[in-house]
């Protein structure tokens, strides 16, 4: 009995000693952590964006940080996160602390507004419907265009395989679908029948735009890839100009990827100033020049190099307003049981 | 005196052990499933049924469970064979092969999916071979099946291996001296001993395949009504911000899986009764 008791007290003593040591160590670690975290927390900005803007925002972030410091501010720490536009919107709704969102579709930012994180009239706060740059949908075909694809009508010819992502999971794919719809309408065809015929030529529906580019370029599937203009140029640049040609159809859509400040995630005035300046920078001549350089159709070409602007051919561009706006298009075409679902389930 | 609910054992720590187990199980398993049920309940029973009986949902559930069953059956046969070879025979490179069996556990599923797609796409090594015969593997059901076999492979092997190692040669020899043919020994002596473990492995592989998303998504093609798996349909519902609909499909999968696992358990109990405990 006694030995057990003694042993117990010994152990208790030792426990107390090691406990004190442990606490001291933990305390030191905590102080070190706080010291590390403080200066970084001062000027942090998270931009939650969609998939194909990686290269664009890498350039924008560098240029903006330089500009911001040159104006006498401390160096900011800007982070950008990329993913499917819808998934990114959901992450922000579910609590990702993004101060700025730059997504593919206004309807995705509308969802964030509906969750109460920014005002419903966000789109009127910045010029051009809050879209500092635009893009359109073009065709990427194999070198020499062996199937002779010139316009949307050629896509439903026998033996032509079309690669496009799933409009249910990919923002870009909705623009592809709408571009096809717009062409059919302008050429006196039944748009629903045309789009239906188009999707019977699609052998693989990837979940995102980058996935489709990989399927087409690396896996060698399909004769034509429906792609963002900037993705098409990028694929050509990265994978070799001697492998792919860009074909510009007669009609396409004017895709306006919008940007917004997420009011609910702004912590203090300093951060608001930084976030505001970041969005304004996108509209500045420097920011616009960077957008042109990254193959986006921007608005202000005053500082852009002429060849960046000249490479965009003119074509008939239809904007989302002529479809009735996203609030109408989203449920009608891509909602549950919408026209896209009917393409696959209707007999 | 009242009998305690649980018999006292000579080992200490029942209360603590049970407490930690229940807390962790609740946090990690029960709470998320409860959250799923609550989300689904937002639709009501009629709403749940309307989602689960939709044409595309039924098609994708049928595809997911059909291919998972085939993949698990394949793994049952191949996995037992692999376990047998690995523990019964000594050959150079055995340990390396043994370690390789665990790779599907270790590899991120997306990496596996991309690697398999690269191999089986029409311009890949095996894909181009299949193309000469006019067949396509990636972006068809075959592609999905290969991905599911890949992710489910280790389960049967790893559950059966220890059992094979414990079977004593004397048992086989006794069977032979009593005049049994080699096939009879395999069928009536060896197989019954392996069956319970193999069934456990089969159930695990099946459960894993049904929920697999990461690797399948790259190789499936994802064409609605043809190669669209049920987990993808859940992701699609989430993209539409339709949390309840996503939960409804999740509940449908959970119900089917649970029924299947119960059935497998019943078969296991039955085999144990028939052949006695091994």
């Amino acid at each position: 009995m006694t030995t057990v008791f003694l042993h117990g007290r010994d152990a208790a003593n030792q426990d107390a000693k090691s406990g004190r040591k442990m606490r001291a160590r933990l305390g030191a670690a905590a102080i070190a952590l706080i010291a590390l975290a403080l200066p970084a927390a001062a000027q942090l900005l998270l931009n939650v964006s969609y998939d194909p803007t990686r290269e664009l925002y890498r350039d924008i972030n560098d240029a903006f940080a330089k500009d911001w410091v040159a104006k006498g501010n401390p160096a900011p720490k800007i982070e950008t996160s990329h993913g499917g536009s819808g998934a990114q919107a959901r992450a922000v709704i579910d609590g990702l602390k993004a101060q700025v969102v730059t997504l593919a579709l206004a309807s995705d930012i509308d969802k964030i507004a509906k969750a109460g994180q920014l005002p419903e009239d966000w789109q009127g706060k910045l010029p051009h419907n809050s879209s500092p740059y635009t893009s359109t949908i073009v065709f990427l075909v194999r070198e020499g265009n062996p199937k002779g694809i010139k316009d949307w009508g050629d896509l439903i010819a026998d033996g032509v395989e079309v690669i496009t992502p799933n409009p249910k999971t990919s923002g870009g794919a909705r623009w592809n679908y709408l571009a096809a719809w717009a062409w059919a309408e302008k050429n006196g065809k039944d748009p629903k029948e045309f789009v239906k015929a188009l999707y019977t030529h699609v052998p693989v529906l990837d979940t995102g735009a980058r996935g489709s580019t990989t399927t087409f370029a690396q896996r060698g599937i399909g004769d034509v890839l429906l792609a963002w203009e900037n993705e098409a140029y990028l694929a050509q640049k990265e994978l070799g100009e001697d492998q792919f040609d860009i074909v510009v159809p007669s009609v396409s859509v004017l895709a306006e990827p919008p940007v917004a400040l997420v009011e609910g995630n702004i912590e203090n005035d300093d951060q608001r100033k930084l976030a505001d300046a970041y969005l304004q920078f996108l509209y500045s001549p420097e920011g616009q020049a960077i957008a042109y350089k990254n193959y986006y159709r921007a608005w202000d070409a005053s500082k852009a190099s002429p060849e960046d602007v000249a490479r965009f051919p003119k074509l008939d561009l239809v904007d989302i307003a002529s479809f009735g706006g996203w609030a109408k298009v989203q449920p009608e075409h891509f909602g549950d049981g919408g026209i896209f679902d009917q393409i696959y389930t209707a007999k | 005196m009242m009998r305690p609910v649980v018999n006292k054992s000579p080992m200490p720590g029942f209360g603590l052990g049970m407490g930690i187990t229940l807390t962790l199980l609740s946090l990690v398993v029960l709470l998320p499933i409860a959250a799923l049920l609550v989300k689904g309940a937002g639709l009501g029973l009629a709403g749940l049924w309307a989602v689960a009986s939709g044409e595309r949902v039924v098609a994708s559930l049928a595809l997911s469970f059909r291919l998972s069953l085939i993949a698990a059956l394949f793994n049952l046969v191949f996995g037992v064979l692999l376990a047998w070879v690995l523990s019964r025979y000594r050959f150079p490179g055995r340990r390396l092969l043994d370690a390789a069996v665990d790779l599907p556990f270790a590899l991120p599923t997306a990496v596996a999916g991309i690697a398999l797609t690269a191999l089986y796409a029409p311009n890949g090594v095996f894909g181009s071979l299949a193309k000469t015969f006019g067949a396509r593997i990636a972006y068809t059901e075959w592609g999905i099946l290969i991905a599911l076999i890949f992710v489910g492979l280790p389960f049967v092997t790893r559950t059966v291996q220890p059992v094979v190692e414990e079977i004593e040669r004397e048992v086989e020899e006794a069977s032979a001296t009593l005049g049994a043919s080699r096939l009879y020994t395999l069928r009536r002596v060896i197989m019954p001993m392996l069956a319970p473990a193999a069934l456990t492995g089969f159930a695990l592989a099946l459960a894993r395949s049904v929920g697999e998303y990461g690797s399948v998504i790259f190789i499936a093609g994802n064409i609605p009504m043809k190669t669209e798996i049920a987990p993808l349909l859940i992701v699609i519902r989430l993209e539409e911000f339709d949390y309840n609909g996503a939960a409804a499909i999740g509940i449908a999968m959970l119900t089917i899986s649970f029924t299947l696992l119960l059935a497998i358990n019943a078969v296991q109990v039955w085999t144990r009764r028939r052949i006695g405990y091994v």
Side-chain angles (χ1 to χ4, degrees):
Chain A
M1 237 358 242
T2 23
T3 48
V4 169
F5 176 65
L6 277 176
H7 175 80
R9 206 167 54 177
D10 257 16
N13 259 340
Q14 239 163 13
D15 273 352
K17 247 187 253 163
S18 68
R20 265 198 300 277
K21 237 187 257 168
M22 193 67 172
R23 241 169 284 148
R25 247 182 250 155
L26 275 179
I31 289 167
L33 265 181
I34 292 167
L36 274 176
L38 269 180
Q43 291 282 326
L44 186 78
L45 190 70
L46 175 61
N47 172 8
V48 166
S49 193
Y50 62 113
D51 240 343
T53 57
R54 280 165 224 271
E55 293 77 12
L56 170 69
Y57 279 107
R58 205 178 298 146
D59 292 354
I60 289 275
N61 291 353
D62 286 349
F64 170 73
K66 274 197 203 104
D67 184 69
W68 184 245
V69 172
K71 284 179 179 151
N73 298 294
K77 187 165 183 278
I78 301 167
E79 288 175 346
T80 321
S81 137
H82 299 271
S85 188
Q88 293 289 75
R90 241 185 4 264
V92 174
I93 291 171
D94 291 342
L96 181 62
K97 288 276 171 228
Q99 288 80 35
V100 169
V101 284
T102 55
L103 296 178
L105 305 173
S107 61
D108 286 329
I109 302 187
D110 280 338
K111 290 283 181 192
I112 304 175
K114 224 169 240 158
Q117 277 150 301
L118 60 138
E120 300 252 352
D121 61 344
W122 60 271
Q123 205 163 8
K125 305 218 167 192
L126 288 164
H128 303 297
N129 284 327
S130 288
S131 300
Y133 42 81
T134 68
S135 192
T136 186
I137 301 298
V138 298
F139 304 160
L140 196 65
V141 297
R142 309 227 174 255
E143 171 65 14
N145 197 358
K147 298 267 166 115
I149 289 156
K150 295 271 177 305
D151 208 348
W152 290 98
D154 302 326
L155 299 184
I156 56 169
D158 280 343
V160 173
E161 284 191 330
V162 183
I163 302 296
T164 173
N166 190 340
K168 306 280 269 192
T169 50
S170 156
R174 281 173 219 166
W175 291 111
N176 296 353
Y177 167 105
L178 290 174
W181 188 278
W183 177 85
E185 256 183 350
K186 294 217 168 195
N187 288 274
K189 300 199 163 27
D190 178 0
K192 195 171 164 183
E193 283 305 313
F194 177 71
V195 168
K196 185 171 177 177
L198 178 63
Y199 277 92
T200 58
H201 287 259
V202 178
V204 179
L205 277 178
D206 282 290
T207 49
R210 275 282 151 96
S212 281
T213 309
T214 309
T215 300
F216 178 74
Q218 316 301 31
R219 309 273 169 263
I221 306 261
D223 304 300
V224 52
L225 171 75
L226 307 185
W228 290 101
E229 192 172 46
N230 57 299
E231 278 275 283
Y233 277 106
L234 202 68
Q236 226 185 11
K237 193 179 97 182
E238 304 271 314
L239 304 163
E241 298 202 3
D242 51 346
Q243 289 196 38
F244 307 107
D245 289 343
I246 291 174
V247 172
V248 179
S250 64
V251 178
S252 195
V253 284
L254 179 68
E256 298 170 289
V259 302
L261 186 91
V262 186
E263 299 279 349
N265 289 341
I266 300 283
E267 281 164 16
N268 51 44
D269 286 349
D270 280 353
Q271 202 176 39
R272 175 181 299 273
K273 252 171 61 189
L274 178 67
D276 266 335
Y278 184 75
L279 290 180
Q280 288 301 331
F281 183 78
L282 293 174
Y283 287 93
S284 70
E286 294 81 20
Q288 296 273 295
I290 293 172
Y292 274 114
K293 193 170 148 274
N294 282 281
Y295 314 107
Y296 286 90
R297 296 178 183 233
W299 306 97
D300 179 355
S302 59
K303 285 220 175 163
S305 70
E307 70 261 28
D308 285 346
V309 183
R311 86 175 128 230
F312 296 123
K314 293 254 175 301
L315 71 159
D316 188 358
L317 291 176
V318 180
D319 66 4
I320 191 67
S322 57
F323 289 99
W326 278 114
K328 176 169 172 285
V329 168
Q330 179 64 35
E332 191 176 307
H333 289 270
F334 310 116
D336 189 32
I339 295 173
F340 180 75
D341 279 351
Q342 291 164 27
I343 287 176
Y344 283 100
T345 47
K347 295 273 152 44
Chain B
M1 243 179 77
M2 266 182 57
R3 257 170 59 112
V5 182
V6 178
N7 285 324
K8 279 242 167 74
S9 98
M11 295 285 283
F14 168 75
L16 192 63
M18 192 69 181
I20 292 175
T21 308
L22 281 184
T23 312
L24 281 183
L25 200 66
S26 309
L27 280 178
V28 179
V29 179
L30 299 179
L31 270 179
I33 289 182
L36 175 72
L37 293 178
V38 167
K39 271 275 183 224
L43 280 174
L45 223 58
L48 273 178
W49 180 248
V51 172
S53 61
E55 208 175 343
R56 252 173 92 188
V57 178
V58 170
S60 70
L61 283 174
L63 178 80
S64 274
F65 281 95
R66 183 164 51 86
L67 291 181
S68 297
L69 269 171
I70 298 174
L73 278 172
F74 179 89
N75 278 332
L76 180 65
V77 176
F78 182 58
V80 168
L81 181 70
L82 190 61
W84 186 264
V85 168
L86 284 178
S87 35
R88 261 307 159 87
Y89 306 120
R90 294 289 171 266
F91 53 92
R94 185 183 67 90
R95 279 172 192 285
L96 215 64
L97 203 65
D98 194 30
V101 171
D102 285 331
L103 279 184
F105 280 151
L107 209 61
T109 51
V111 176
I114 291 168
L116 288 173
T117 313
L119 283 176
Y120 288 99
N123 63 357
V125 180
F126 301 134
S128 54
L129 204 67
K131 206 174 161 190
T132 54
F133 298 105
R136 218 177 206 193
I137 301 175
Y139 312 115
T140 67
E141 287 189 6
W142 290 105
I144 305 179
L145 191 63
I146 286 171
L148 293 183
I149 288 173
F150 177 85
V151 297
L153 174 69
F155 290 97
V156 177
T157 306
R158 284 299 180 239
T159 46
V160 170
Q161 226 173 347
V163 183
V164 175
E165 268 158 24
E166 274 186 16
I167 296 179
E168 283 159 24
R169 293 239 167 177
E170 285 83 345
V171 181
E172 290 155 54
E173 285 161 9
S175 171
T177 53
L178 290 172
S181 71
R182 291 162 78 175
L183 206 65
Y184 188 87
T185 307
L186 189 69
R187 199 161 58 84
R188 298 305 296 268
V189 179
I190 303 294
M191 281 303 157
M193 288 197 272
L194 297 184
L199 269 176
T200 305
F202 172 77
L204 287 173
L206 177 68
R208 177 77 170 80
S209 301
V210 166
E212 177 60 19
Y213 177 77
S215 62
V216 177
I217 223 63
F218 293 98
I219 203 168
N222 306 325
I223 301 294
M225 310 295 289
K226 284 194 194 128
T227 52
E228 190 176 53
I229 55 167
L232 172 63
L233 217 50
I234 295 181
V235 173
I236 286 178
R237 291 294 169 127
L238 289 176
E239 293 291 335
E240 291 167 358
F241 303 94
D242 179 6
Y243 290 67
N244 291 336
I249 305 175
I251 290 172
M253 290 187 76
L254 200 64
T255 316
I256 302 175
S257 295
F258 199 66
T259 317
L260 277 177
L261 292 181
L262 269 184
I264 293 170
N265 260 353
V267 173
Q268 233 167 355
V269 169
W270 177 72
T271 50
R272 282 229 166 98
R273 282 225 186 103
R274 210 168 65 100
I275 61 169
Y277 182 75
V278 185

